[in-house]
Amino acid sequence: MLTVYMHPSCTSCRKTKKWLCANNIAFHERHLFRETPTREELLHLLSLTTEGIDEILATRSQSFKQLGENVEDWPLSKVVELLVKEPRLLRRPIVTGGKRLVVGYNPSALKNIAKKYRRVCVS
């Protein structure tokens, strides 16, 4: 089953959820701030990226700007530790089936990742 890390007030998250339901895709919704990804989950998500930490880090967010530091110079372990403590620094939504990753609302990428997860969606 697909896992969607999201926040209900996020527009991209709502669009992604609506797209998945409209296309009858099975998914498990995880509230990004209440069910924060663990260190191990974040490392797995990072292993699925094509751009590394830049792909999942919300560099335009207020939380990121308040850091006042260049996290790109940090060791990966320190960045992952920060993301576990401050999940607002993650881009949203993050969709994965375990082998692929879609970050943000991207219907064409969702279509590719969701092919094997079709079912009736109740929302």
Side-chain angles (χ1 to χ4, degrees):
M1 180 176 290
L2 287 178
T3 299
V4 182
Y5 296 91
M6 59 186 302
H7 189 266
S9 67
C10 166
T11 302
S12 295
C13 296
R14 289 193 310 263
K15 286 180 181 179
T16 298
K17 183 176 178 178
K18 183 177 180 179
W19 187 95
L20 291 169
C21 287
N23 288 277
N24 297 317
I25 307 300
F27 67 95
H28 170 69
E29 185 177 332
R30 291 231 351 229
H31 191 291
L32 195 54
F33 306 148
R34 292 185 192 142
E35 298 176 77
T36 304
T38 65
R39 179 183 186 285
E40 292 74 24
E41 288 171 323
L42 284 170
L43 289 172
H44 178 69
L45 292 173
L46 282 168
S47 75
L48 301 175
T49 66
T50 56
E51 300 170 24
I53 197 73
D54 291 337
E55 193 168 336
I56 66 169
L57 192 60
T59 56
R60 295 185 308 186
S61 72
Q62 192 63 27
S63 297
F64 183 82
K65 291 174 184 174
Q66 289 175 347
L67 286 176
E69 296 187 46
N70 187 3
V71 297
E72 292 175 1
D73 296 335
W74 292 8
L76 181 61
S77 60
K78 186 175 178 181
V79 174
V80 170
E81 184 179 313
L82 175 66
L83 293 174
V84 169
K85 291 179 183 174
E86 292 293 333
R88 284 173 168 47
L89 293 171
L90 288 167
R91 288 185 59 205
R92 300 180 290 272
I94 298 174
V95 181
T96 185
K99 295 183 181 178
R100 290 204 200 145
L101 186 73
V102 176
V103 180
Y105 176 63
N106 183 336
S108 62
L110 287 170
K111 185 177 181 180
N112 289 332
I113 196 174
K115 288 178 183 174
K116 67 179 185 176
Y117 299 98
R118 219 168 272 292
R119 74 160 179 93
V120 176
C121 183
V122 179
S123 57

Short mmCIF file of all heavy atoms in Angstrom, two decimals, residues 2 19 95 100-115:
data_model
loop_
_atom_site.label_atom_id
_atom_site.label_comp_id
_atom_site.label_asym_id
_atom_site.label_seq_id
_atom_site.Cartn_x
_atom_site.Cartn_y
_atom_site.Cartn_z
N LEU A 2 0.43 2.27 -0.69
CA LEU A 2 1.15 3.54 -0.67
C LEU A 2 1.01 4.21 0.69
O LEU A 2 -0.03 4.11 1.34
CB LEU A 2 0.57 4.49 -1.72
CG LEU A 2 0.84 4.22 -3.17
CD1 LEU A 2 0.14 5.25 -4.04
CD2 LEU A 2 2.32 4.21 -3.46
N TRP A 19 -6.56 13.26 -5.84
CA TRP A 19 -6.14 12.54 -7.05
C TRP A 19 -6.12 11.04 -6.79
O TRP A 19 -6.61 10.25 -7.60
CB TRP A 19 -4.77 13.03 -7.53
CG TRP A 19 -4.38 12.45 -8.85
CD1 TRP A 19 -4.56 13.03 -10.07
CD2 TRP A 19 -3.78 11.17 -9.08
NE1 TRP A 19 -4.11 12.18 -11.04
CE2 TRP A 19 -3.61 11.03 -10.47
CE3 TRP A 19 -3.36 10.13 -8.26
CZ2 TRP A 19 -3.06 9.91 -11.05
CZ3 TRP A 19 -2.80 9.00 -8.84
CH2 TRP A 19 -2.65 8.89 -10.21
N VAL A 95 4.95 10.73 -0.99
CA VAL A 95 4.21 9.51 -1.33
C VAL A 95 5.23 8.42 -1.67
O VAL A 95 6.13 8.64 -2.48
CB VAL A 95 3.28 9.74 -2.54
CG1 VAL A 95 2.51 8.47 -2.88
CG2 VAL A 95 2.34 10.91 -2.29
N ARG A 100 9.63 3.57 -4.71
CA ARG A 100 9.67 4.83 -5.44
C ARG A 100 9.14 5.94 -4.55
O ARG A 100 8.50 5.68 -3.55
CB ARG A 100 8.80 4.74 -6.69
CG ARG A 100 9.35 3.85 -7.75
CD ARG A 100 8.75 4.32 -9.01
NE ARG A 100 8.70 3.47 -10.13
CZ ARG A 100 7.70 3.46 -11.00
NH1 ARG A 100 6.63 4.17 -10.80
NH2 ARG A 100 7.74 2.76 -12.08
N LEU A 101 9.39 7.17 -4.98
CA LEU A 101 9.04 8.33 -4.17
C LEU A 101 8.48 9.43 -5.06
O LEU A 101 8.99 9.67 -6.15
CB LEU A 101 10.32 8.83 -3.48
CG LEU A 101 10.21 9.94 -2.47
CD1 LEU A 101 9.59 9.40 -1.18
CD2 LEU A 101 11.59 10.48 -2.16
N VAL A 102 7.41 10.07 -4.58
CA VAL A 102 6.88 11.27 -5.22
C VAL A 102 6.80 12.33 -4.14
O VAL A 102 6.21 12.10 -3.08
CB VAL A 102 5.48 11.03 -5.84
CG1 VAL A 102 4.92 12.33 -6.40
CG2 VAL A 102 5.53 9.96 -6.91
N VAL A 103 7.38 13.49 -4.41
CA VAL A 103 7.37 14.59 -3.45
C VAL A 103 6.61 15.74 -4.08
O VAL A 103 6.90 16.15 -5.20
CB VAL A 103 8.80 15.02 -3.07
CG1 VAL A 103 8.76 16.16 -2.07
CG2 VAL A 103 9.59 13.84 -2.51
N GLY A 104 5.60 16.24 -3.35
CA GLY A 104 4.77 17.31 -3.87
C GLY A 104 3.65 16.73 -4.72
O GLY A 104 3.56 15.53 -4.95
N TYR A 105 2.78 17.62 -5.18
CA TYR A 105 1.66 17.20 -6.02
C TYR A 105 2.16 17.11 -7.46
O TYR A 105 2.52 18.13 -8.07
CB TYR A 105 0.50 18.17 -5.92
CG TYR A 105 -0.65 17.84 -6.84
CD1 TYR A 105 -1.35 16.66 -6.70
CD2 TYR A 105 -1.01 18.70 -7.86
CE1 TYR A 105 -2.40 16.33 -7.54
CE2 TYR A 105 -2.06 18.40 -8.71
CZ TYR A 105 -2.75 17.21 -8.55
OH TYR A 105 -3.78 16.90 -9.39
N ASN A 106 2.21 15.89 -8.00
CA ASN A 106 2.72 15.64 -9.34
C ASN A 106 1.90 14.51 -9.96
O ASN A 106 2.25 13.33 -9.81
CB ASN A 106 4.20 15.29 -9.27
CG ASN A 106 4.83 15.09 -10.63
OD1 ASN A 106 4.16 14.80 -11.61
ND2 ASN A 106 6.14 15.25 -10.67
N PRO A 107 0.79 14.82 -10.64
CA PRO A 107 -0.11 13.79 -11.17
C PRO A 107 0.58 12.77 -12.08
O PRO A 107 0.28 11.58 -12.00
CB PRO A 107 -1.17 14.58 -11.93
CG PRO A 107 -1.17 15.92 -11.29
CD PRO A 107 0.25 16.17 -10.89
N SER A 108 1.51 13.20 -12.93
CA SER A 108 2.16 12.22 -13.82
C SER A 108 3.04 11.26 -13.04
O SER A 108 3.07 10.06 -13.33
CB SER A 108 2.95 12.93 -14.92
OG SER A 108 3.98 13.72 -14.38
N ALA A 109 3.75 11.75 -12.03
CA ALA A 109 4.56 10.86 -11.19
C ALA A 109 3.66 9.96 -10.35
O ALA A 109 3.97 8.78 -10.13
CB ALA A 109 5.50 11.67 -10.31
N LEU A 110 2.54 10.50 -9.86
CA LEU A 110 1.59 9.69 -9.09
C LEU A 110 1.04 8.56 -9.96
O LEU A 110 0.90 7.43 -9.50
CB LEU A 110 0.44 10.55 -8.56
CG LEU A 110 0.78 11.49 -7.41
CD1 LEU A 110 -0.38 12.44 -7.15
CD2 LEU A 110 1.15 10.71 -6.17
N LYS A 111 0.75 8.88 -11.20
CA LYS A 111 0.23 7.87 -12.12
C LYS A 111 1.21 6.71 -12.26
O LYS A 111 0.82 5.54 -12.24
CB LYS A 111 -0.05 8.51 -13.49
CG LYS A 111 -0.69 7.58 -14.47
CD LYS A 111 -0.99 8.32 -15.77
CE LYS A 111 -1.67 7.40 -16.75
NZ LYS A 111 -1.96 8.08 -18.02
N ASN A 112 2.49 7.02 -12.38
CA ASN A 112 3.51 5.98 -12.52
C ASN A 112 3.66 5.13 -11.26
O ASN A 112 3.79 3.91 -11.34
CB ASN A 112 4.86 6.60 -12.89
CG ASN A 112 4.87 7.11 -14.30
OD1 ASN A 112 4.17 6.62 -15.17
ND2 ASN A 112 5.68 8.13 -14.53
N ILE A 113 3.66 5.77 -10.10
CA ILE A 113 3.89 5.05 -8.85
C ILE A 113 2.65 4.25 -8.42
O ILE A 113 2.75 3.24 -7.76
CB ILE A 113 4.35 6.00 -7.72
CG1 ILE A 113 4.95 5.23 -6.55
CG2 ILE A 113 3.22 6.86 -7.22
CD1 ILE A 113 5.55 6.11 -5.47
N ALA A 114 1.45 4.71 -8.84
CA ALA A 114 0.21 4.17 -8.29
C ALA A 114 -0.40 3.01 -9.08
O ALA A 114 -1.40 2.46 -8.65
CB ALA A 114 -0.81 5.30 -8.18
N LYS A 115 0.19 2.63 -10.18
CA LYS A 115 -0.41 1.62 -11.05
C LYS A 115 -0.83 0.35 -10.32
O LYS A 115 -1.89 -0.20 -10.58
CB LYS A 115 0.54 1.27 -12.19
CG LYS A 115 0.67 2.37 -13.20
CD LYS A 115 1.66 2.01 -14.28
CE LYS A 115 1.82 3.17 -15.24
NZ LYS A 115 2.87 2.93 -16.21
#
